[in-house]
Structure formats: structure tokens, C-alpha cells
Amino acid sequence: ENLNQRNTIANNNDTTMSAAENTAAASNDAAAASASKQEEEEEEDLETLQAEIARMEAEAARIAQETENIEATAASGGSSGDKDSGASAGGGAASGGEGTGRDGFSIYVGQVDYSTQPEELLAHFEPCGTVERVTIVCDRVTGRPKGFAYLEFQTEAAVENA
């Protein structure tokens, strides 16, 4: 009898171990599937982040190019403005007003009050034709107006009217 009991206990232990092993195997399979799914999600997240970084780098490059273009335009406008002011300041200021700029669509306006706003010049010259740009020249150090401005018109006829 003892031998039968021992065999029964041994069989029960084998069954219990087999069930435990099956549970462990199933648990390992589930963990592996979960890890695989997590790796796939991480890969998708990584790809999404890389695409976002590429988009942001492209936007940064575009902004840098636009900034460079604006600075180049400002530098060329500032240097031509200094040349025009030296050449036109005597005749334009003495006659009270206007001289044709180098491109044929711009005029020099002298004796501009220091408190004048670009909108005021725009309103004053708008009857002559469409004004594309108003530039009141300011001192680089103080930022205060120098007392003259440049207006760029859309057509040469508007320059003649001004």
C-alpha cells in the first residue's frame, strides 16, 4: 500500500509539474508576444519621431533661407539707401522733395518730420499711384529717423505723378 501511495503521489507531482511547466510555457509565450508587440510599437514610434525630425529640419532650413534672403535684401537696401542719400541729399533736400531712385520706381523724400510714420507718407503719396514700400531711414546706433525717406511705387507713371 505504501508503494501505491508513493506512486500516486509521484504521479500527482508529475501532473502538477506538467501543469506548472505548461503554465510557465504559456506565460513565456505571452511574454514573448507582448515583447514583440512592444518592439513593433517602439519601432513605429521611432519612425514617427524620425519623420517629425526630418520635417522640422526641412522647416528650419526653409526659415534659415528666408532669413538669409531678408538680410540680403535689407543689406542691399541699406547700402543703396546710403549711396542714394549721399547723391540726392543736396538737391532733394534743397528743393524740398523728390528725386528719382536708381530703379526708376523709387523716389527720395527729404525734410521728413522726425515723428512721421510710414502710414502718413503712404496716405500722402497714394493719390499719385500704388505705393509698394515706404522706407524711413533711421540712424543705426540710436534708431531715430534721419529726416528723409524712400518710397517705391508700382509703376513709373506713379513716380512721375509724385
Side-chain angles (χ1 to χ4, degrees):
E1 261 180 58
N2 281 343
L3 187 57
N4 281 340
Q5 286 178 344
R6 284 185 189 164
N7 284 340
T8 305
I9 291 172
N11 286 338
N12 286 342
N13 284 343
D14 287 344
T15 306
T16 304
M17 290 181 72
S18 294
E21 288 172 354
N22 287 339
T23 303
S27 177
N28 287 341
D29 289 344
S34 175
S36 176
K37 184 177 180 180
Q38 185 177 5
E39 286 176 5
E40 288 176 13
E41 289 175 358
E42 287 176 358
E43 278 187 38
E44 289 175 7
D45 290 345
L46 181 61
E47 290 173 2
T48 302
L49 289 173
Q50 287 175 337
E52 182 69 13
I53 289 170
R55 185 191 64 77
M56 291 171 75
E57 287 175 345
E59 185 175 354
R62 180 187 58 80
I63 290 171
Q65 182 64 40
E66 287 180 9
T67 302
E68 188 177 303
N69 291 344
I70 290 170
E71 288 173 352
T73 302
S76 68
S79 64
S80 67
D82 291 342
K83 290 176 188 173
D84 288 344
S85 67
S88 303
S95 66
E98 305 138 26
T100 305
R102 68 183 174 119
D103 67 350
F105 296 136
S106 296
I107 62 169
Y108 167 84
V109 180
Q111 298 181 351
V112 175
D113 188 72
Y114 295 112
S115 63
T116 302
Q117 297 296 312
E119 293 79 16
E120 294 175 81
L121 288 172
L122 179 68
H124 182 76
F125 285 96
E126 194 70 44
C128 300
T130 304
V131 178
E132 291 288 320
R133 178 174 47 192
V134 176
T135 305
I136 297 177
V137 181
C138 296
D139 184 87
R140 289 182 183 169
V141 177
T142 64
R144 295 181 184 156
K146 289 186 173 184
F148 61 94
Y150 293 94
L151 277 81
E152 182 180 330
F153 289 91
Q154 195 172 36
T155 63
E156 194 169 340
V159 173
E160 294 299 320
N161 290 336

